[in-house]
Each structure stands twice: as C-alpha cells, then as structure tokens.
Amino acid sequence: MTRPIRFPSNFLWGTATSAYQIEGSPLADGAGHSIWTRFAATPGRIANGDTGDVACDHYRRWRDDVALMRQLGMKAYRFSIAWSRILPQGTGAVNEAGLAFYDRLIDELLANGIEPMVTLYHWDLPAALDDRGGWLNPDIADWFAAYARIVFDRYDDRVRHWVTLNEPWVVTDGGYLHGTLAPGHRNAYEAPIASHNLLRAHGAAVQVYREIGRHQIGLVVNIEPKYPASDAPEDVAATRRADAYMNRQYLDPVFLGSYPAELKEIFGPAWPDWPARDFDLISQKLDFIGINYYTRNVCRHDGANWPLQVAPVRQPQATYTETGWEVFPQGLTDTLVGFKRRYGDMPVYVMENGSAFYDPPQAAHGRVHDPLRMDCLRGNIAALAAAIEQGVDLRGYMVWSLLDNLEWSLGFAKRFGIVHVDFATQRRTPKDSALLYARIVASNGACL
Ligand SMILES: OC[C@@H]1[C@@H](O)[C@H](O)[C@@H](O)c2nc(CNc3ccccc3)cn21
C-alpha cells in the first residue's frame, strides 16, 4: 500500500497560458504591434504560416474560458498581460481599452473563485521598443518598470501573485542566440547583453512592487536538470556547463548575486564585465520562485557543438513528446529538491508543466483520448508529492496549458492543451487529461 499523497490544504492547482498564444485580436482596441505580430508576419518564421491573429480567440471568448476553468474546478489561472495592449508604443500613452480587458478577465476569475496569477512579460515585447533596441538597450529596465507600475496600480487590489518575466533563458537563447524566436537574432555578443538586461528589468519591476505592492512577486524560470551521460571528466564538465548556461545563469544572480564562472568560459570575449551595482538590482528579495519543468537533459561533451560544446544523449527506453522532450518526472523532483539545496527554503510554484502529444481525432461523444498526456500528468504530480515529502515548500502547480494554442514558431500543430481546441470552429473539448486533472484537483492530489 503506497502512502497517500499529501498536498497542503490551500495548494493552488491551476493552468497556465500566455497572451499571444491564446488571445487573438492582437491589434484590437488600440493595441500596438509586438515582436510576435511582426515575427508571425515574416514568411517562414512560424510553421505552416500560422499566426496569433486569431489563436484561441480568447480576447473575445474569455468569459466562456473562465466558465470552463470553473467547470474543471480550477483554483488558479496563470496568464500574461500583453504589454502592447497597455502601452501600444511600449512607453508613453496608456491604452485604457487594454487595461479594461484585463480588468474584466480578473474580475470574472475572482467571481468564479479562481486566483489570478499574472505574468507581466511572456515574450511579446512591443515592436516600438524593439525598434529602440529592445532587450539590448539598457533603458529597457526603466521602460519595463514604468509598464509594471501602471499594471500594479491597476490590478494589485485583486491580483496577489505577480510574475515579472517568463523564462529569461528562452527569451535570450531563442530570440538572440539561435534566432528561433522573436526577434530572431543570431548573435553571441547580443545574447549575454539581452539576458543581463532582462534580469535588470526584473529587478527594477520588483523595486517598484516593493514601493506600491501589497502581495507577492516572483520570477519564472525554465529549469532542465542536467545529468552526465558518463562519469568521464569531459562529460561531467559538459554537464556542468549546460547547467550553468540554462539554469544557474538566472538563479545564481537572482539568489546569490553573481553569475556562474562557467559563463565567461562559454562566451569568452562575448561575455562582458558587468557593473557590480547591477547585481544589487537583480538580486532583490523575491516572495516566491516559479519553475517551469518539462524535461531533463542527459549531456555528453561535443567539441563541435557551439557554444556549449555539449550534445544531448537520447534515452532509448524513454517516452518522448511531440516537441522531442523526454518524459522524466524524476527530474521534476530533482529540480525542486535541488533548488532548495542550492538557494534555500522559499515558496515555490511549478508555473508550467505539460506535454505535447498527437491527439487523435475526436472519438465518439466528443471525447478526446490522450493517454500519454494523462500518464505524464500522473507522473509529474507524483513527482511533486515526492518533493513535498523532501521538505520543498511547494505552493501550487499550473498545467501547461489550459487550451491547445499557438506553440510559438512551431505553430498550432504542437498541442499542449488539456482542452482540445478546434481552430476552425473554436470549439473547446476537455480531453481525458482535463477530466483526470479535475479529479486530482477535487481530491487535492489524493486520487492519482
Ligand atoms: O513549449 C511549451 C511552453 C510554451 O508554450 C510556453 O509559452 C513557454 O513558457 C514554455 N517554456 C517552456 C520551457 N522550455 C523550452 C525549451 C526550449 C525552447 C522553448 C521552451 C515550454 N514552454
């Protein structure tokens, strides 16, 4: 008989989305262009020519989507605010219609007993700011802090959990090093600058929140635990570089006040000497850390693989998702316990966890059978319980994602939703994984 799984009585079970991936109507009611409306309009940047012009049409269907969350018994909902709906030019004139949209959404969530958890930045930088250098311009810390102040002033009476940035690593690696995400740069000298300015902007927003905020603020990072393919010294060193580059590059400056030494080794002359004062700004005390977990990496040395000299080692017995990620729930436990060991005890939310699998056409009676996603969900929630048993102060868990949505450059084909979206009709159909998650939430994790 396995011991029952214990979650805190006020554990926040929910789902997560982001503005550009679900809202549609990106330019409605005075909103300005973002780097993603621009990227999507560039031929070849998004698979199949997909765009966020309609997406899940959430900008118009938000009330029904909140009703769907209520029907599933969700306790919380993590979403992002589109900066360019609030400040169409990124700075300057405020767009009241944009503020009003999120007012309505937040009020509807609260009216349905669902806790709003708001991300200020989930990758959709106003295009006008990109024209001024975007994350490469040090002034962006002030631009972001000014945007944050407007949003805190408007919603902090109702929003109790704020996230400054979603995944600075992905913004930098995808947007500035490999060019796979907006704004599509490929430049090893730009990447560290963008990354550092993201962290400066994060710190500037936290400073503003400490002036005017009454609740909690944190950062969301994606963590992929790294495991050496062998105990050969070059594989162990490669694993250390990979961990420094993806994971510790963000957590160390925020919680320890300095970058890992490996980054100078990785970037060489492209790694600047940062002013010490920046780390006072970056390492503002946080109320929680948000961790997005999807997979792990098994690493080996590969001298030809720029810039990390690391190559992933596929695990022959493992299940892999449609995005090529190994299903490895133990990595979630290791990530949460590892965070506590290195950075200390603080409230933790898993702010994204999910999987993309091919979903068969809808079965009879409108059911969508997704057994692989259900297995992934069960395994990851059991992994949470294991972390709690090891003393992690885990406060909540958000499944990525509520809805099938625009998977950035991969388009609509990669479906992460626990609710199926027929993009031709916008019909929503809870998948079997949504029905399973609803049961898990209703039993506070007991019925896995
Ligand atoms: O890819 C699924 C989601 C994505 O839809 C979210 O907007 C984003 O927050 C998100 N972050 C990850 C973490 N991993 C990752 C690794 C390489 C490229 C992109 C994301 C997965 N996801």
Side-chain angles (χ1 to χ4, degrees), residues 17-18 21 78 122-123 166-167 169-170 173 181 222-224 246 292-294 323 325 352 400-401 405-408 410 416:
T17 65
S18 86
Q21 293 180 271
R78 177 188 174 226
H122 201 125
W123 305 0
N166 180 69
E167 301 183 338
W169 178 84
V170 179
D173 186 81
L181 301 175
N222 58 294
I223 299 294
E224 292 185 11
M246 180 183 272
N292 293 352
Y293 176 80
Y294 288 87
T323 49
W325 296 337
E352 286 181 29
W400 186 272
S401 179
N405 61 53
L406 182 71
E407 182 45 40
W408 304 111
L410 301 179
F416 279 87

Side-chain angles (χ1 to χ4, degrees), residues 295 314 320-326 356:
T295 191
R314 192 169 176 86
Y320 283 79
T321 70
E322 286 289 298
T323 49
W325 296 337
E326 181 191 357

